Amino acid sequence: MLWNVYLPVGVRSWLAQQLGLNVTQACTFVAFVAGLHDVGKACPCFQDQWPPKGSADYRSHEHVGYLSLPTLLSDFAEVGDSLVDSVAHRIAEIVGSHHGDFQAPNRRAVRWAEHDELLGGVTWHARRRAVVDLMLGLLEPVAPVRLGRPAVVVISGVVILADWIASDVEWIKRSQWNAPKTVGERWRFTVRSVRERILRLDLASWSPDERTTTRLLMGKVPNALQRSIEDGFRPSGRGILLITAPTGAGKTIAAFVAADRLGHVTGRPGLVMCLPTQVTTNAMWEQGRRFIDPATGSPRRVTLAHSTAALHLPYRRYCTDDEALNWLNGPHRALLAGWSVVTIDQLLLAGLATRFNMLRLFALTGKTVVVDEIHTCQPYMLALLARVLSWCGFLGIPVVLLSATVPRHIARDLTAAYLTGADPDRLPEIHAAEYPGWIWHGADGEVQRSGSEMQAIRSADKRSARIEYVRYTKGSRTSHVLRYVQRVQREGGCIAIICGTVPTAQKTLTALRRALGTDTQVMLLHARLPHRKRAEVEDEVERKFGKDANRRNGRRPERAILVCTPLIEQGLDIDFDLVITDIAPIALLIQRLGRCLRHNRPKQERPVYATKPTVVVLDTEGDEIPRQWLMLHSEYELRATRRLLATRQLADLTVPDDVDNLVQAVHDLNLPPFDGAAAEEWRERGATTAFERGLARLAAVPPPHMIDSLADLTHPDVRDTDAATRLGIDNALVIPVWTDASGRRWLDPARATSLPTGERPTSAQVRSLVDKSIRCPAAWVADLSSITPAWRHPYLRDARILPVPHPGLTVDAELGLVRGREDDL
């Protein structure tokens, strides 16, 4: 029933082709394999529940199934096949993986499983044979012509999903109470009854609708870029689409339209949208949820997935009393929904050898994968993304990449990874996309590009912009910031001050509070605020500076300043009258430029100084680059950006005409050193990039055509939460606690919420704990005690108690977590 209801037609056809069977035969074969998944329970270990799990003589039932099936299915092995390369052994690998781990190959053990006393010897092997014979007689499966390891990965995902659905105890009680007793009748009864269960979990395949347009999604006429996709993008099958255009050019809507078209031609109508941060992912989920009804003609669930998704208040309300969403929000399940909006980390996990990796890859097969803001990925992440894209190419999953400032070599590498996965023996020529515009590389060698529409796209979005470059001596940064901020006091307007580090943002806010009166609103947003407060500030930022905010409806203030870290530079649809920022690589500066005068507001809503988008870049005097910035960005790219700003007059920058040349000059690894750059810097940059890529290759799963053992795809001891999808991110979760004179502990200085003392906190107490929690570098709190072991809720795992006061760390109601010894600029 999953085959007929959940798997879209494109996945069914792909699997049938992989097996060398027709679609009906392939369905029966997959059902047969799923029916065998618990055959290993016919063994003494499981029946007696002895010896204890973990002991030397213990054999798990999935391991018993793996060891037994190669000899029980000897008819599925062709003459001349080695045992571990036979179809029978591949089936055993699927059965052995249904708890999330592929078994390590063991030629000797599978050959002598019939005589292994720990498996029950000949007697229990005969009982397992009776089960296999029963299934063969019931389904009469046709042996596949071939069963390669990548197909095993997908079928393993189907089997795991089937196991989870059919093992639900409450459903069994409701549906099986009056089921027939004979096997054949019971099987037919269950197939019919499980259909309702699948539909209740919103696991029916989506119906593709090629009519999706910008007007349908947004209720307005498409812009030049979107019209170019609607009129000119006509793919014939799977492939990879790259859309490059300035911020605010409507790339996301164009991607939705393109994904709908790809779903139609590939028979894979679902979608997974990947964003760089939790902030942007939350915002995109709101947008995607609004699109879902007109795009499909019927209400469907849209899941949100990142480390704290279940604590995002709008999503929590959305899931309330919804059986399907509560099920889909379970571990490893969010991507099984028809539409998912996730942080890119959720996608990159499919490229790492974690438990249930096969389920993640399977969950992608029925969808188009859209990755936004690919320029934000560091070399390590890009290498993981390339590996995932190689699997997407092999599995026939269409991909859409979006960026405002992507270097050509990155676009080329990602495209090559996808096409190599699709066909390793034929890598077609890879063409560069013009900027702005789009280019499509089909797996069959087809190439389409925006072409004649390019001028229209350029003309429609052309505007003059300005980058002011200001260098300051040590200690004078605040005075330069105040010089611009005082214009807000005199003339009004909304300014964003993007600080490179959290302490710089905290100290900037403190200085502004001292210098400004109460008539100018000043807000602070960074990653070291308590979870609930950060969510409230993010929501307020979107309300006050978003597209729908204006002075007439009372939301956009006449005078306001947002002090923040680079959290706002991607994805959020907000705009300011002026942006001030610490220096960063040119691609990121252009992203920040896209947050200035982003929306077409009436002239009277802008201050007189806001005549064109302007970014003021603050940089230190001298040749040395502060170490705080080097922890965030490549030294080569910072120096190249500094040279570019010092030698080029960017007061009359034209967007988008000048953007691509500026980005490539600084970020393209294949270009010679920027004017005046030392060859040593260039080599160092290349070495750093190669090192990060090498680490990623060590951690990543093998490419689909180079799998020596399926065990390389999963590691039993590696959980999703332990896998590193980003380098240099070693955060800890701390929960500040105040203690009163009586020794009672509280979650706030006002002593309104006490620290739970029971063995297990309630759901409300868990939410309260997480609301008060703060992220910080793990090294700061390594000496703190962990949270009570009994509280090991998924969102509190490894959390630590931070006693307040604490030497060196302060929790401020407005500034968040402050570390006294940190340097600022």
Side-chain angles (χ1 to χ4, degrees):
M1 194 54 66
L2 276 176
W3 180 281
N4 291 319
V5 175
Y6 178 65
L7 267 65
V9 63
V11 179
R12 291 182 236 160
S13 299
W14 181 87
L15 269 174
Q17 185 268 330
Q18 291 292 310
L19 299 172
L21 303 174
N22 64 42
V23 173
T24 302
Q25 292 170 334
C27 172
T28 303
F29 173 75
V30 174
F32 169 70
V33 174
L36 294 177
H37 81 283
D38 270 348
V39 69
K41 289 182 177 178
C43 73
C45 284
F46 185 84
Q47 296 301 321
D48 298 338
Q49 293 294 291
W50 185 264
K53 188 175 182 178
S55 64
D57 292 339
Y58 174 80
R59 296 292 183 271
S60 65
H61 70 269
E62 66 272 20
H63 188 54
V64 175
Y66 164 72
L67 295 176
S68 302
L69 281 172
T71 54
L72 293 173
L73 294 171
S74 55
D75 290 346
F76 279 74
E78 295 183 6
V79 176
D81 281 345
S82 68
L83 186 61
V84 294
D85 289 326
S86 67
V87 169
H89 187 262
R90 295 279 188 266
I91 295 173
E93 289 183 299
I94 297 170
V95 168
S97 72
H98 76 269
H99 283 180
D101 304 304
F102 283 112
Q103 304 289 326
N106 190 329
R107 291 170 172 82
R108 177 175 175 79
V110 299
R111 189 175 298 279
W112 298 104
E114 181 178 0
H115 306 286
D116 189 335
E117 289 303 319
L118 293 177
L119 274 58
V122 175
T123 301
W124 279 98
H125 199 69
R127 293 176 180 177
R128 292 189 289 271
R129 183 177 297 280
V131 174
V132 172
D133 290 344
L134 186 73
M135 297 299 299
L136 285 168
L138 183 68
L139 292 173
E140 298 180 344
V142 177
V145 175
R146 53 190 171 272
L147 182 53
R149 289 189 177 99
V152 167
V153 171
V154 176
I155 298 174
S156 296
V158 181
V159 172
I160 291 170
L161 179 56
D163 183 29
W164 287 352
I165 293 173
S167 298
D168 182 87
V169 173
E170 292 305 315
W171 173 77
I172 291 172
K173 289 178 179 179
R174 289 197 309 268
S175 70
Q176 301 294 89
W177 191 258
N178 296 315
K181 299 297 186 290
T182 62
V183 173
E185 291 178 351
R186 190 183 190 89
W187 174 73
R188 287 184 286 274
F189 173 89
T190 304
V191 167
R192 289 192 300 270
S193 63
V194 80
R195 178 184 177 88
E196 178 188 356
R197 174 69 175 158
I198 293 172
L199 295 176
R200 284 171 66 90
L201 296 178
D202 199 28
L203 292 177
S205 177
W206 290 35
S207 299
D209 183 357
E210 198 180 12
R211 296 174 301 157
T212 296
T213 62
T214 304
R215 188 185 292 274
L216 183 61
L217 291 174
M218 299 289 290
K220 64 181 183 181
V221 176
N223 63 23
L225 175 64
Q226 294 154 355
R227 191 183 313 112
S228 174
I229 290 289
E230 291 182 15
D231 297 343
F233 181 47
R234 291 290 183 270
S236 59
R238 58 182 173 149
I240 183 167
L241 173 68
L242 172 67
I243 303 176
T244 61
T247 56
K251 295 187 293 297
T252 301
I253 303 303
F256 281 140
V257 174
D260 186 75
R261 190 154 295 168
L262 287 166
H264 183 84
V265 299
T266 63
R268 299 163 186 257
L271 181 139
V272 56
M273 187 83 184
C274 309
L275 286 302
T277 66
Q278 291 185 15
V279 178
T280 55
T281 304
N282 291 341
M284 183 58 66
W285 174 78
E286 293 280 3
Q287 192 174 18
R289 187 165 63 92
R290 290 196 300 269
F291 291 162
I292 201 65
D293 289 349
T296 64
S298 62
R300 300 299 301 269
R301 278 81 167 181
V302 182
T303 55
L304 173 70
H306 54 69
S307 61
T308 58
L311 301 167
H312 180 52
L313 189 57
Y315 188 62
R316 206 160 69 210
R317 291 172 181 151
Y318 177 70
C319 297
T320 301
D321 299 325
D322 190 303
E323 178 185 0
L325 280 167
N326 288 329
W327 190 88
L328 288 166
N329 286 330
H332 316 294
R333 296 177 187 173
L335 290 176
L336 293 168
W339 266 38
S340 301
V341 182
V342 306
T343 52
I344 191 173
D345 309 78
Q346 302 296 315
L347 177 68
L348 297 183
L349 281 170
L352 291 170
T354 63
R355 291 196 70 203
F356 291 102
N357 169 275
M358 72 290 282
L359 188 69
R360 287 183 174 275
L361 289 170
F362 162 66
L364 297 176
T365 56
K367 301 175 174 64
T368 294
V369 173
V370 180
V371 187
D372 199 2
E373 313 280 7
I374 57 173
H375 57 271
T376 63
C377 296
Q378 297 301 313
Y380 175 82
M381 296 174 68
L382 286 170
L384 289 182
L385 178 58
R387 185 57 49 84
V388 174
L389 293 185
S390 71
W391 275 90
C392 289
F394 181 84
L395 298 173
I397 302 167
V399 171
V400 180
L401 304 178
L402 308 177
S403 180
T405 53
V406 63
R408 291 192 194 100
H409 75 282
I410 291 176
R412 184 172 56 251
D413 290 348
L414 296 178
T415 302
Y418 181 93
L419 297 176
T420 302
D423 186 352
D425 298 323
R426 183 183 62 85
L427 180 60
E429 181 182 359
I430 297 174
H431 301 267
E434 295 186 56
Y435 188 89
W438 55 268
I439 189 162
W440 163 260
H441 289 86
D444 58 359
E446 173 192 32
V447 176
Q448 297 181 31
R449 60 172 76 240
S450 44
S452 60
E453 302 92 346
M454 183 59 58
Q455 190 56 45
I457 297 173
R458 250 198 204 106
S459 301
D461 295 322
K462 181 176 288 190
R463 56 181 177 164
S464 178
R466 177 183 179 86
I467 297 180
E468 291 185 22
Y469 183 47
V470 177
R471 304 199 72 170
Y472 61 88
T473 56
K474 187 173 183 179
S476 66
R477 179 183 181 278
T478 300
S479 63
H480 285 281
V481 170
L482 285 173
R483 179 161 57 91
Y484 290 95
V485 166
Q486 286 162 358
R487 297 195 67 175
V488 175
Q489 284 192 301
R490 295 193 306 268
E491 304 171 34
C494 299
I495 290 182
I497 304 174
I498 303 177
C499 305
T501 66
V502 171
T504 302
Q506 292 168 329
K507 293 177 182 180
T508 298
L509 180 84
T510 302
L512 292 179
R513 284 271 188 252
R514 288 196 299 262
L516 301 177
T518 58
D519 60 337
T520 301
Q521 181 180 10
V522 185
M523 303 165 61
L524 177 67
L525 175 61
H526 60 72
R528 291 185 206 156
L529 296 172
H531 178 83
R532 182 61 178 267
K533 180 176 177 62
R534 174 177 166 179
E536 290 171 349
V537 174
E538 289 169 0
D539 185 59
E540 186 179 7
V541 166
E542 287 202 80
R543 286 200 320 271
K544 291 189 172 179
F545 308 115
K547 191 169 188 176
D548 298 328
N550 57 59
R551 292 178 186 174
R552 285 174 296 178
N553 66 22
R555 288 191 286 187
R556 195 169 201 264
E558 292 189 12
R559 293 177 178 82
I561 299 168
L562 174 65
V563 180
C564 59
T565 52
L567 288 173
I568 70 163
E569 74 185 14
Q570 296 118 15
L572 293 180
D573 194 13
I574 55 179
D575 89 313
F576 300 89
D577 301 311
L578 177 69
V579 173
I580 303 170
T581 176
D582 289 327
I583 192 170
I586 191 67
L588 299 182
L589 296 181
I590 291 172
Q591 285 289 130
R592 296 169 193 182
L593 185 65
R595 298 297 176 267
C596 190
L597 275 61
R598 181 182 178 94
H599 300 138
N600 293 322
R601 302 187 186 280
K603 188 174 181 180
Q604 61 269 24
E605 290 190 15
R606 301 283 188 190
V608 294
Y609 58 80
T611 57
K612 60 182 177 180
T614 301
V615 166
V616 178
V617 179
L618 303 177
D619 187 12
T620 57
E621 288 279 9
D623 185 61
E624 184 180 357
I625 296 178
R627 65 177 182 83
Q628 300 96 310
W629 292 345
L630 294 178
M631 295 173 65
L632 302 170
H633 309 296
S634 155
E635 180 174 0
Y636 177 94
E637 291 176 350
L638 283 175
R639 291 193 181 279
T641 299
R642 176 181 278 180
R643 293 186 194 98
L644 178 66
L645 296 176
T647 58
R648 290 275 299 273
Q649 294 297 318
L650 299 180
D652 294 313
L653 174 67
T654 301
V655 177
D657 293 3
D658 296 334
V659 169
D660 193 48
N661 288 336
L662 295 176
V663 170
Q664 305 311 327
V666 171
H667 294 270
D668 195 332
L669 187 64
N670 295 328
L671 292 177
F674 187 79
D675 295 343
E680 182 179 347
E681 292 176 14
W682 194 42
R683 285 193 298 272
E684 181 181 348
R685 179 190 176 208
T688 301
T689 300
F691 174 73
E692 290 194 21
R693 288 176 175 169
L695 285 179
R697 281 191 283 270
L698 287 173
V701 297
H705 299 282
M706 299 177 64
I707 304 175
D708 292 326
S709 168
L710 286 166
D712 293 336
L713 296 180
T714 59
H715 289 319
D717 56 341
V718 178
R719 298 170 295 184
D720 290 356
T721 50
D722 295 327
T725 55
R726 306 174 191 237
L727 286 184
I729 305 298
D730 186 18
N731 286 334
L733 190 72
V734 296
I735 300 174
V737 172
W738 287 258
T739 304
D740 63 20
S742 67
R744 189 175 178 183
R745 298 194 292 177
W746 303 85
L747 295 177
D748 58 324
R751 297 178 173 82
T753 307
S754 62
L755 182 72
T757 57
E759 289 187 1
R760 292 188 180 276
T762 65
S763 296
Q765 289 173 327
V766 167
R767 285 196 295 270
S768 179
L769 287 165
V770 176
D771 283 345
K772 306 293 186 181
S773 66
I774 304 174
R775 289 278 174 190
C776 71
W780 293 5
V781 293
D783 60 333
L784 298 182
S785 60
S786 297
I787 199 166
T788 304
W791 293 0
R792 289 302 170 92
H793 186 277
Y795 296 102
L796 297 173
R797 193 175 67 84
D798 299 330
R800 296 177 178 274
I801 297 294
L802 174 65
V804 182
H806 180 276
L809 292 176
T810 305
V811 180
D812 183 89
E814 185 174 34
L815 300 178
L817 187 66
V818 181
R819 189 176 189 233
R821 296 187 299 275
E822 279 193 288
D823 297 328
D824 75 330
L825 296 166

